[in-house]
Amino acid sequence: MSDVERTLSIIKPDAVERNLVEDIKKILIENNLIIKDSKKIQITKEEASEFYKVHQSKPFFNDLCSYLSSGPIVVLILEGANAVTAYRKLMGATNPKDADENTIRKLYGISIDKNSVHGSDSLKNAKSEIKFFFKN
Ligand code: CMP
């Protein structure tokens, strides 16, 4: 069974800085994910802390929030069949060195921190993450 879902993608500062936005968008489209909305923004460290609050007890939380707010990012709403799972598969493992061949993180990720992209991990989180960046 396939359900049409929406998920949130973030193209992180390392990928924006290396001009990878169009390459990543092309991969998304080629894999049947429709880009419903997209915008380039820069967020504050406070906003990053709010976005990643599920990770607030983790040792990497402070670095993670500093990093996400360190430069421009592109946030995207993706839509497609089973989009949450489909996009997570296309991103690959969190650590690029563990990611499968031809996944976005394998192709472009530099390290576990600079792993080029974020994706919602569940439909529930997708809804709240989309609302976080696209309030209307
Ligand atoms: P992301 O999918 O954006 O969700 C949280 C981020 O924390 C993750 O990608 C990584 O970039 C970052 N991170 C840094 N260290 C770790 C770690 N040890 N385990 C998981 N995520 C980490």
Side-chain angles (χ1 to χ4, degrees), residues 27-66:
I27 293 175
L28 298 172
I29 293 161
E30 281 170 358
N31 284 274
N32 303 314
L33 289 163
I34 299 163
I35 299 169
K36 298 297 288 186
D37 208 344
S38 139
K39 60 184 177 186
K40 189 176 183 179
I41 56 174
Q42 183 157 3
I43 61 171
T44 63
K45 190 171 177 186
E46 289 66 35
E47 288 168 323
S49 307
E50 177 61 23
F51 178 76
Y52 273 134
K53 65 174 184 268
V54 293
H55 295 299
Q56 63 193 357
S57 62
K58 310 270 174 60
F60 55 83
F61 181 67
N62 187 53
D63 287 347
L64 174 61
C65 299
S66 297

Side-chain angles (χ1 to χ4, degrees), residues 12 52 55 60 64 94 105 112-113 115 118:
K12 296 188 184 186
Y52 273 134
H55 295 299
F60 55 83
L64 174 61
T94 307
R105 284 169 169 163
I112 195 163
D113 303 297
N115 62 355
H118 166 83

Side-chain angles (χ1 to χ4, degrees), residues 8-135:
L8 182 89
S9 165
I10 303 177
I11 303 179
K12 296 188 184 186
D14 68 272
V16 175
E17 196 174 84
R18 287 176 291 150
N19 294 316
L20 294 171
V21 174
E22 291 313 312
D23 292 333
I24 293 173
K25 283 185 173 176
K26 187 164 175 271
I27 293 175
L28 298 172
I29 293 161
E30 281 170 358
N31 284 274
N32 303 314
L33 289 163
I34 299 163
I35 299 169
K36 298 297 288 186
D37 208 344
S38 139
K39 60 184 177 186
K40 189 176 183 179
I41 56 174
Q42 183 157 3
I43 61 171
T44 63
K45 190 171 177 186
E46 289 66 35
E47 288 168 323
S49 307
E50 177 61 23
F51 178 76
Y52 273 134
K53 65 174 184 268
V54 293
H55 295 299
Q56 63 193 357
S57 62
K58 310 270 174 60
F60 55 83
F61 181 67
N62 187 53
D63 287 347
L64 174 61
C65 299
S66 297
Y67 172 61
L68 198 72
S69 56
S70 67
I73 58 174
V74 175
V75 290
L76 309 96
I77 301 175
L78 305 180
E79 185 179 274
N82 301 318
V84 173
T85 313
Y87 174 52
R88 285 185 72 78
K89 201 165 169 222
L90 192 56
M91 280 195 304
T94 307
N95 192 335
K97 72 176 170 50
D98 300 327
D100 289 340
E101 291 302 319
N102 292 317
T103 59
I104 298 171
R105 284 169 169 163
K106 182 71 170 189
L107 288 168
Y108 304 125
I110 295 168
S111 64
I112 195 163
D113 303 297
K114 296 184 173 179
N115 62 355
S116 300
V117 282
H118 166 83
S120 313
D121 64 1
S122 67
L123 194 54
K124 182 170 171 275
N125 285 342
K127 286 184 177 143
S128 62
E129 291 185 358
I130 287 170
K131 205 179 259 174
F132 186 89
F133 285 112
F134 298 89
K135 301 177 173 70

